[in-house]
Amino acid sequence: MYKKRLFGRRSSGIGKISLVLALLFLMGWATGLVSPPVRAASTTREELKEAKERQSALSAEKARLAGISRQLDRERDELTGQLAWLNKRSDEQKNLYREKTAQLEAAVSEMEQAYADYVAAEEDLASKQVQYSQRIRTMINYRPKSILEIFLSSKSLQGFFTTLQFMSIIADADQQMIEDLQAGKDHAALLRDLAKQHAADMEEVVEQLEAELAKLEADAEATRQDLEEVELKLSRQQQAEADLLAEAAMVAELVKTLQKKVASEQATAAAKATAAARATAAAQRKPVSGKGWAWPYPADRTIYSAYGMRFHPIYHYYRMHTGVDLGGKYGNSIVASRAGEVLLVRNPYEGRNTGGYGYGNYIVIDHGDGYCSLYAHLKNTLVRVGQQVSIGQKIATCGSTGTSTGPHLHFEILYNGSTVDPAKYIR
Ligand SMILES: [Zn+2]
């Protein structure tokens, strides 16, 4: 059977476009546009400026992803259109097929009727031939008699002529009857042959229609598969966009926090006019010291996923892993890896094991010397923004909120706004 895919070439074209889009998207991840909050500057004002720059970079990234999304929408619309067209054509062909099948059935019964007529005509002819030969024999029996003999055996002159006329009429009628029978027989045979040819033609038409239908169904199936592929790509894309939105919200939160901090610093500066007062304030902001970093997941000291490029378990492509994955039991304690001030607490899924996108519930602690630590996918958050925490202090419990496949702590260390490998710090 002939099974070439109508849109085979076009589908692979779409596949290529999608691959390019996926690569572009990967590059978006790799550039770190969607990595955790940046704290590069030494003063709050500079931090705020950088956070705002990051916000505008995220907006640009959002616009770029929206463009990709629109392209995928177009692909989906195109494939949906193709599918609808193929389904419509398939329905039309099915109607035609039903029509032709009915025609075939009619032709077959017409042929059968013609055969029956033909057989009946032949039988009729045979019987008439028997009757005819009997009539001929009867007439031959008369033949030895001369017209004189008939004349002599006739009772009257009237009877003689009547007998002659009668015999002639009978012979003529018999001849006519034979001719009619022959014509009828020929006609029936012609009808039969025509019906037979017609039926054979119809069979060919139906066979051809069956092949076309099978091909159409295969085309429709191929298009349905293409459509599914595009839908899957689209849903992945949409999930990635949702992730990005969550990250953008996080940065917005950071900006808000930093703005509050600027305002409070201004108030402090106004209140404490002397250099001595400023020095005291600066001293108070200094983090609790200690070069060491504690292991943030006391119950389990294994790194299950290292820092660096890795294959993403949900999106199924390579991306930068900006931290390490530790532990893995719901409710396990998570402790501050170093002393510092809580910079950010985001806990929309507080107390829940799962839910949301991106980091889910998370905490950022500022260690004051360019270092921050980040704790993500939390179940419970036990600290508030502005709180001073000491090294080893319990700050959260383990969960699987956000984009996560199971309970674990995603732990990051940032130095001047860039992630570094936490394995080189924590012990
Ligand atoms: Zn992780």
Side-chain angles (χ1 to χ4, degrees), residues 305-306 310 321-326 359 376-377 403 408-412:
S305 180
R310 71 163 182 182
H321 188 220
T322 50
V324 290
D325 291 344
L326 305 174
Y359 288 145
H377 308 310
T403 307
H408 76 284
L409 168 67
H410 172 84
F411 176 70
E412 290 184 12

XYZ file of all heavy atoms in Angstrom, residues 305-306 310 321-326 359 376-377 403 408-412, ligand 1:
149
model
N 23.613 16.109 43.854
C 23.795 16.700 42.525
C 24.768 17.864 42.697
O 24.537 18.758 43.508
C 22.452 17.170 41.971
O 22.667 17.734 40.689
N 25.842 17.813 41.930
C 26.925 18.766 42.113
C 26.646 20.075 41.380
O 25.740 20.164 40.548
C 28.238 18.164 41.628
N 24.525 20.315 34.141
C 23.902 19.005 34.361
C 22.670 18.869 33.475
O 22.156 19.838 32.936
C 23.508 18.815 35.822
C 22.330 19.694 36.227
C 21.702 19.212 37.518
N 20.554 20.045 37.843
C 19.821 19.891 38.946
N 20.131 18.955 39.821
N 18.796 20.676 39.180
N 23.656 24.080 36.773
C 23.135 23.871 38.117
C 23.888 24.836 39.021
O 25.097 24.720 39.201
C 23.344 22.414 38.553
C 22.649 22.095 39.842
N 23.203 21.302 40.808
C 21.436 22.464 40.298
C 22.352 21.210 41.827
N 21.277 21.895 41.530
N 23.146 25.782 39.592
C 23.780 26.917 40.266
C 24.088 26.645 41.735
O 24.558 27.531 42.444
C 22.860 28.143 40.159
O 21.551 27.743 40.582
C 22.791 28.647 38.731
N 23.815 25.414 42.191
C 24.125 25.075 43.578
C 24.371 23.587 43.724
O 24.638 22.901 42.733
N 24.263 23.097 44.972
C 24.372 21.648 45.200
C 23.052 21.168 45.792
O 22.362 21.927 46.468
C 25.534 21.291 46.158
C 26.877 21.548 45.493
C 25.432 22.054 47.477
N 22.703 19.893 45.516
C 21.504 19.300 46.087
C 21.921 18.374 47.219
O 22.748 17.475 47.018
C 20.722 18.526 45.020
C 20.107 19.469 44.000
O 20.027 20.675 44.298
O 19.729 18.989 42.915
N 21.317 18.620 48.390
C 21.691 17.870 49.591
C 20.465 17.177 50.177
O 19.346 17.632 50.014
C 22.266 18.825 50.653
C 23.439 19.710 50.229
C 23.786 20.681 51.351
C 24.665 18.868 49.873
N 12.237 28.121 42.839
C 12.808 27.716 44.118
C 11.762 27.294 45.155
O 12.112 26.791 46.216
C 13.611 28.884 44.705
C 14.898 29.166 43.985
C 15.375 30.458 43.836
C 15.657 28.119 43.472
C 16.561 30.715 43.192
C 16.848 28.366 42.823
C 17.305 29.671 42.674
O 18.481 29.900 42.035
N 16.810 26.515 49.093
C 15.574 26.454 48.296
C 14.836 25.127 48.446
O 15.378 24.157 48.949
C 15.895 26.699 46.832
N 13.580 25.113 47.958
C 12.624 23.975 47.973
C 12.206 23.619 49.411
O 11.896 22.468 49.699
C 13.210 22.743 47.279
C 13.750 23.016 45.907
N 13.028 23.681 44.935
C 14.955 22.720 45.338
C 13.761 23.788 43.843
N 14.937 23.224 44.062
N 10.209 23.860 41.474
C 10.557 22.891 40.424
C 11.526 21.870 41.020
O 12.737 22.079 41.035
C 11.182 23.619 39.228
O 10.304 24.665 38.834
C 11.380 22.673 38.056
N 14.585 17.679 48.886
C 16.019 17.932 48.961
C 16.250 19.417 49.245
O 15.326 20.220 49.119
C 16.739 17.504 47.677
C 16.560 18.440 46.518
N 15.390 18.498 45.774
C 17.396 19.355 45.957
C 15.525 19.397 44.818
N 16.736 19.950 44.902
N 17.456 19.754 49.622
C 17.832 21.156 49.785
C 18.684 21.557 48.595
O 19.722 20.937 48.321
C 18.646 21.345 51.078
C 19.331 22.730 51.207
C 18.305 23.841 51.364
C 20.317 22.733 52.376
N 18.244 22.573 47.882
C 19.087 23.173 46.848
C 19.808 24.336 47.536
O 19.179 25.278 47.999
C 18.229 23.664 45.684
C 19.012 24.455 44.672
N 19.723 23.866 43.659
C 19.199 25.791 44.546
C 20.320 24.815 42.941
N 20.019 25.996 43.466
N 21.137 24.215 47.649
C 21.935 25.170 48.411
C 22.905 25.893 47.492
O 23.631 25.270 46.715
C 22.700 24.400 49.506
C 23.625 25.273 50.306
C 23.123 26.218 51.195
C 25.006 25.158 50.177
C 23.984 27.022 51.936
C 25.869 25.951 50.906
C 25.363 26.892 51.792
N 22.882 27.243 47.576
C 23.780 28.036 46.730
C 24.633 28.963 47.590
O 24.185 29.412 48.658
C 22.974 28.934 45.776
C 22.251 28.188 44.699
C 21.544 29.126 43.712
O 21.813 30.351 43.737
O 20.732 28.620 42.937
Zn 19.562 22.053 42.891
